[in-house]
Amino acid sequence: MNFKVNPIFKNNTNAILDCIKSFNNAGILFGNGDRNVIKLFELNEKTINIKSFKIPNIVNKIAYKYFRKSKARRSFEYATILLEKGIGTPEPVAFLENFNFIGLRDSYYASEHLITELTYRELVEIPDYPDHDAILRQFTKFCFDLHEKGVEFLDHSPGNTLIKKVDQSKYAFYLVDLNRMNFHAQMSFEQRMNNFSRLTPKKEMVAVMSNEYAKFYNEKSEAEIFEKMWQATENFQESFAKKKRLKKKLKFWKSHS
């Protein structure tokens, strides 16, 4: 077993370990648990969020033991790096990895549970969401700051940014689902624009984001930023649709074979 606790929560080490060990028959289920299971536990008047990662296949079991860090460990380490860089994410609490003779058996990542008003997904699905334009523009500035700090968030999709209203006109943003990230000394224009590709299929939202991004990124014109951002979005939507069609075909063949 490999278990590490954030020094802030050192006094709660045993309680955290108990929560993780009782994961299967305690805690309150959060979300649909289709890939990874998330449960909420109470810890000294705080709610913590524990994610149990899907048990890896045999190849990954071995890889996560000998060659790569597990998703749980990466989530914990990346959250620590983000906070050091002044980027919003729920406070990491701990991670635990269980190994057997083959490799990684199961793994868990615990963080503080944040209650927020919305995620980026609501901006996509509810065009008349109150303060839509202001939130979208502040989110774009948040992305620009990420890029300036060299953070390439590879799972930058609609459900992975939590948005909290701070006051009448100000919003704070928190990244979740952190196990896939690259850190760069400097991010290229291409990397920056590709990082927007999974967020929305809506051209009008891309237009607002490129308009806002152009206010801070002086190396390209707004037209160039929009063109590249929209091209990256279209490419992603195309490959996403292709995968969906392929899955449908495979399902059809399986059911008719």
Side-chain angles (χ1 to χ4, degrees), residues 127-167:
D128 57 355
Y129 192 92
D131 234 2
H132 191 285
D133 188 72
I135 301 170
L136 189 55
R137 288 182 182 278
Q138 287 180 40
F139 168 79
T140 306
K141 174 64 166 72
F142 170 74
C143 293
F144 173 78
D145 292 340
L146 271 188
H147 299 159
E148 285 294 287
K149 290 168 180 176
V151 177
E152 186 183 11
F153 182 33
L154 298 172
D155 278 328
H156 206 21
S157 53
N160 289 344
T161 300
L162 309 181
I163 305 172
K164 192 169 180 58
K165 192 167 188 173
V166 179
D167 60 35

Side-chain angles (χ1 to χ4, degrees), residues 43-82:
L43 182 77
N44 278 7
E45 294 172 21
K46 270 186 179 166
T47 303
I48 63 167
N49 172 318
I50 301 177
K51 180 188 277 192
S52 168
F53 288 92
K54 188 180 172 187
I55 292 171
N57 61 35
I58 187 97
V59 174
N60 283 337
K61 275 179 190 289
I62 296 163
Y64 289 143
K65 185 170 183 179
Y66 299 104
F67 308 110
R68 296 175 65 205
K69 292 176 181 180
S70 73
K71 290 180 178 183
R73 183 173 174 177
R74 276 182 277 151
S75 298
F76 181 86
E77 291 180 355
Y78 292 168
T80 307
I81 293 168
L82 291 181

Side-chain angles (χ1 to χ4, degrees), residues 153-191:
F153 182 33
L154 298 172
D155 278 328
H156 206 21
S157 53
N160 289 344
T161 300
L162 309 181
I163 305 172
K164 192 169 180 58
K165 192 167 188 173
V166 179
D167 60 35
Q168 265 321 97
S169 57
K170 198 172 183 312
Y171 294 83
F173 303 88
Y174 303 87
L175 299 183
V176 294
D177 213 350
L178 306 178
N179 64 80
R180 294 194 331 118
M181 284 195 179
N182 288 329
F183 297 96
H184 306 273
Q186 215 171 353
M187 276 178 74
S188 68
F189 178 58
E190 190 106 349
Q191 285 168 329

